[in-house]
Amino acid sequence: MTAADTKPTASTKVVNVPNAITLARFLLSIAVFVLLPLGQYVAAAIVFIIAAATDWMDGYWARKYNEVTQVGRVFDPFVDKIIICGTFIFLAAEPGSQIAAWMAVVIAGREMLVTVLRSFIEQHGGDFSANMPGKIKMVLQCVAAVASMVVLAYVQKTTAGPYTLALEWTALVSAWLAVASTVHSGVIYIFAAAKMIRDQSTTT
């Protein structure tokens, strides 16, 4: 048996490029959580954008080079939820962020619900691939988070500046759009799970 014969296949490796990217995004999310309470809103926004913008990289690399692992399938969506939910929770704690506490609760609650539904649907042989409403939801959430950090950074430097009201309204509207898209995408998954339950009950 040669060394090549004993070498694990790409799909069985835990330490690979996609998982390393996911780990880096996890560390970036922690950096955001440290920067926000310190009032470093510009730095937090930059780090958040990097973490959110690289979301596609780990999945793309894993599929392209056959490096999909069970660890990655669990760790990647977990990091996605940590980045979004954690950022909204920390922003809700910042006065003037335009992110209300209930908005953070709705977003975190939706993510927990979808996690349960994903487990249920996949255990019953269903497809729980990311859909367009889910992708739009993610984009709007990121826009709302960045807009909130921009408002905090601007207000921190200038008190009642000429663009304060416009920025605050932009952040508030984007936050409402993020919540609306979050609820909408969650309802879609609820109906998908309900349909699967109905279909299974009619076939048994």
Side-chain angles (χ1 to χ4, degrees):
M1 181 178 294
T2 64
D5 296 327
T6 60
K7 184 178 181 180
T9 61
S11 61
T12 63
K13 293 180 180 178
V14 174
V15 181
N16 56 22
V17 173
N19 291 344
I21 296 173
T22 305
L23 177 60
R25 293 176 56 240
F26 178 70
L27 296 176
L28 288 174
S29 68
I30 294 177
V32 173
F33 305 156
V34 172
L35 291 168
L36 284 175
L38 295 176
Q40 301 298 317
Y41 304 121
V42 174
I46 293 173
V47 174
F48 176 84
I49 291 172
I50 295 173
T54 54
D55 176 36
W56 62 275
M57 291 179 59
D58 44 11
Y60 172 79
W61 187 290
R63 291 187 296 270
K64 182 176 178 61
Y65 296 103
N66 191 29
E67 293 189 347
V68 177
T69 64
Q70 290 298 321
V71 172
R73 285 176 58 85
V74 174
F75 194 35
D76 180 48
F78 169 76
V79 171
D80 292 342
K81 290 171 176 54
I82 286 293
I83 293 172
I84 293 298
C85 296
T87 299
F88 271 84
I89 290 171
F90 274 89
L91 285 172
E94 296 293 319
S97 67
Q98 308 304 313
I99 304 293
W102 69 266
M103 293 179 174
V105 171
V106 169
I107 290 172
R110 182 267 185 197
E111 298 302 337
M112 288 188 289
L113 175 62
V114 169
T115 298
V116 174
L117 292 178
R118 173 183 284 112
S119 176
F120 171 80
I121 292 175
E122 290 185 346
Q123 284 178 4
H124 290 78
D127 180 22
F128 205 89
S129 302
N131 55 21
M132 187 54 65
K135 295 177 181 178
I136 294 174
K137 176 266 305 180
M138 181 67 173
V139 171
L140 290 175
Q141 287 175 344
C142 292
V143 170
V146 172
S148 175
M149 295 181 211
V150 170
V151 168
L152 290 171
Y154 182 79
V155 173
Q156 183 186 55
K157 293 182 178 180
T158 59
T159 57
Y163 302 109
T164 300
L165 186 60
L167 287 173
E168 289 177 344
W169 271 102
T170 300
L172 184 61
V173 170
S174 63
W176 274 96
L177 289 174
V179 171
S181 64
T182 297
V183 173
H184 175 252
S185 63
V187 170
I188 290 176
Y189 287 126
I190 292 174
F191 277 106
K195 181 179 183 299
M196 176 170 288
I197 293 174
R198 288 197 305 269
D199 292 344
Q200 289 185 344
S201 63
T202 56
T203 56
T204 56

